[in-house]
Amino acid sequence: MRAGRLLSLLLLLQTRERMTARQLADELEVSVRTVYRDVESLSAAGVPVYADRGPDGGYRLLQGFRTRLNGLTTGEAETLFLTGMPGPASELGLGNVLAAAELKLMAALPPDLRTRAGRIRERFHLDTSGWFRTPDQAPHLHRVADAVWNHQRIQIRYRRWAHPQHVTRTLEPLGVVLKAGSWYLIARTISGSTPEADTRPEPGPEPGPERDTEAGADAAIRTYRIARVLNLDVLPQRFTRPHDFDLATYWQHYTQRFEADSYRDRAEILLTPQGRHRAAHLLPPTMARAIAAHPAPDESDDRTHATVPVESVRHAHVELLKLGADVEVLSPPELRRLMTDTAHALTALYSSPDTPAPPANGTTATATARIPCE
């Protein structure tokens, strides 16, 4: 532990050239007195550490001195793919080793390249969470990640959307994916997993792309949303990872299947120019892309005739209501009836004597999506 701290102190001085005892203590999360002792130990070991007094003083290394003790540990090397993603790395329990790996990389660079690397961090930032939503709370994420690293089987109690809601699964965890602020576990399901006796509904977050079903072959690879793991036990049994399994390829194919399976129904609609424009911001991407793919109307009719994929009639009802009077549903009949019933209900609601009169020019106010940029 102390050897690692001494190396970190040495690399900090090599990377930043001059630091005060307080700055070193804050960076290493130790006391100033500990920094004094560590500097004395480095000096006694032959490291040319010097202290400059005065307001601009601090510790520094002899000019031209460079250490070659910057080899990465196994854990630090495994976290390099997370560089630039300190939030997800911390959630996986790898925040400290990621910081150490970055420090060693910076120390190994020549001064000019080190300056350029620092500028990259100042100018580019990666934010993986979506707008207007709180990231999933996944208290079991760290243990899931450990099981993935160590090839250990786990048993989970899981809350899903299908009936029965509460099920027990024995899994061989193959990988973890972060998508739009939600963590997903990709795992091979072992036969013998059974539903829980308690199947009472329990409220949960919005549905995510998991396809956990009772049917299917033994040892099927499935996707689980880690925030819905209610309990987790790490089992002593280890497993052999499939040699032909590639996480990135699996996830790409899985998300494509998920979108195709989710939007199986179709709706035929007419859109005003304003509705066509607003659809790009208000509707789900799958529906918005379908509308954008239709050619713009000719001069004989200013409305766009489009066929869009929908999850279900009720889902389409909720989504298309966002466009108000700028969309007309032609089919299916059940969806058109739902839209008509909602329009009649709104007319009755706003037809009371207390309802303000419309603007004198007869225009209708329409809401637009607020986009967080110019």
Side-chain angles (χ1 to χ4, degrees), residues 271-337:
L271 289 153
T272 67
Q274 179 72 359
R276 182 185 175 104
H277 173 74
R278 294 168 62 208
H281 307 299
L282 297 179
L283 298 185
T286 301
M287 298 176 67
R289 285 195 298 266
I291 292 173
H294 284 76
D298 54 29
E299 297 180 357
S300 61
D301 186 359
D302 64 348
R303 293 197 296 177
T304 299
H305 188 173
T307 300
V308 296
V310 296
E311 287 192 37
S312 65
V313 167
R314 293 200 172 274
H315 172 265
H317 173 238
V318 172
E319 296 296 341
L320 294 176
L321 280 176
K322 298 175 183 177
L323 301 180
D326 289 315
V327 62
E328 179 186 356
V329 174
L330 302 180
S331 67
E334 182 184 356
L335 177 57
R336 184 177 176 91
R337 184 168 57 254

Side-chain angles (χ1 to χ4, degrees), residues 328-358:
E328 179 186 356
V329 174
L330 302 180
S331 67
E334 182 184 356
L335 177 57
R336 184 177 176 91
R337 184 168 57 254
L338 276 176
M339 298 290 285
T340 302
D341 292 344
T342 302
H344 289 163
L346 287 172
T347 301
L349 179 64
Y350 289 101
S351 295
S352 65
D354 298 332
T355 303

Side-chain angles (χ1 to χ4, degrees), residues 205-232:
E206 300 230 347
E210 72 255 344
R211 282 289 183 269
D212 174 45
T213 60
E214 293 298 320
D218 290 350
I221 295 178
R222 295 172 179 165
T223 303
Y224 300 86
R225 192 165 177 169
I226 298 179
R228 297 202 194 123
V229 174
L230 305 176
N231 189 40
L232 182 146

Side-chain angles (χ1 to χ4, degrees), residues 80-92:
L80 287 181
F81 77 101
L82 292 170
T83 300
M85 300 171 61
S90 297
E91 293 179 46
L92 288 170

Side-chain angles (χ1 to χ4, degrees), residues 144-286:
V144 168
D146 283 342
V148 171
W149 286 123
N150 298 318
H151 297 176
Q152 281 188 279
R153 286 185 178 181
I154 59 175
Q155 187 174 76
I156 64 171
R157 184 166 176 258
Y158 186 72
R159 184 179 70 246
R160 60 181 191 167
W161 291 92
H163 181 80
Q165 274 201 315
H166 291 185
V167 295
T168 297
R169 293 281 185 265
T170 300
L171 307 175
E172 294 179 348
L174 302 176
V176 173
V177 174
L178 173 64
K179 183 176 179 64
S182 296
W183 290 95
Y184 295 92
L185 167 65
I186 315 303
R188 190 163 53 182
T189 306
I190 305 304
S191 61
S193 302
T194 57
E196 284 287 326
D198 178 15
T199 59
R200 292 171 295 177
E202 182 174 332
E206 300 230 347
E210 72 255 344
R211 282 289 183 269
D212 174 45
T213 60
E214 293 298 320
D218 290 350
I221 295 178
R222 295 172 179 165
T223 303
Y224 300 86
R225 192 165 177 169
I226 298 179
R228 297 202 194 123
V229 174
L230 305 176
N231 189 40
L232 182 146
D233 292 315
V234 179
L235 304 178
Q237 298 95 332
R238 294 181 180 271
F239 66 93
T240 301
R241 184 182 178 87
H243 70 278
D244 58 347
F245 177 77
D246 181 79
L247 181 61
T249 301
Y250 169 86
W251 186 255
Q252 180 183 7
H253 293 166
Y254 176 78
T255 53
Q256 291 172 352
R257 283 199 318 272
F258 172 74
E259 289 193 4
D261 291 345
S262 296
Y263 289 85
R264 292 182 174 180
D265 296 332
R266 295 291 183 270
E268 189 178 0
I269 59 176
L270 289 173
L271 289 153
T272 67
Q274 179 72 359
R276 182 185 175 104
H277 173 74
R278 294 168 62 208
H281 307 299
L282 297 179
L283 298 185
T286 301

Side-chain angles (χ1 to χ4, degrees), residues 130-149:
W131 289 107
F132 308 114
R133 59 167 294 174
T134 303
D136 278 353
Q137 299 300 313
H140 299 291
L141 175 61
H142 192 180
R143 299 181 68 200
V144 168
D146 283 342
V148 171
W149 286 123

Side-chain angles (χ1 to χ4, degrees), residues 29-43:
E29 298 181 349
V30 296
S31 66
V32 173
R33 185 176 296 275
T34 299
V35 170
Y36 292 154
R37 288 197 298 266
D38 287 350
V39 170
E40 290 177 359
S41 297
L42 287 175
S43 182

Side-chain angles (χ1 to χ4, degrees), residues 91-113:
E91 293 179 46
L92 288 170
L94 301 174
N96 291 335
V97 289
L98 175 60
E102 290 181 341
L103 177 60
K104 290 181 179 181
L105 284 175
M106 291 292 286
L109 295 174
D112 56 336
L113 294 181

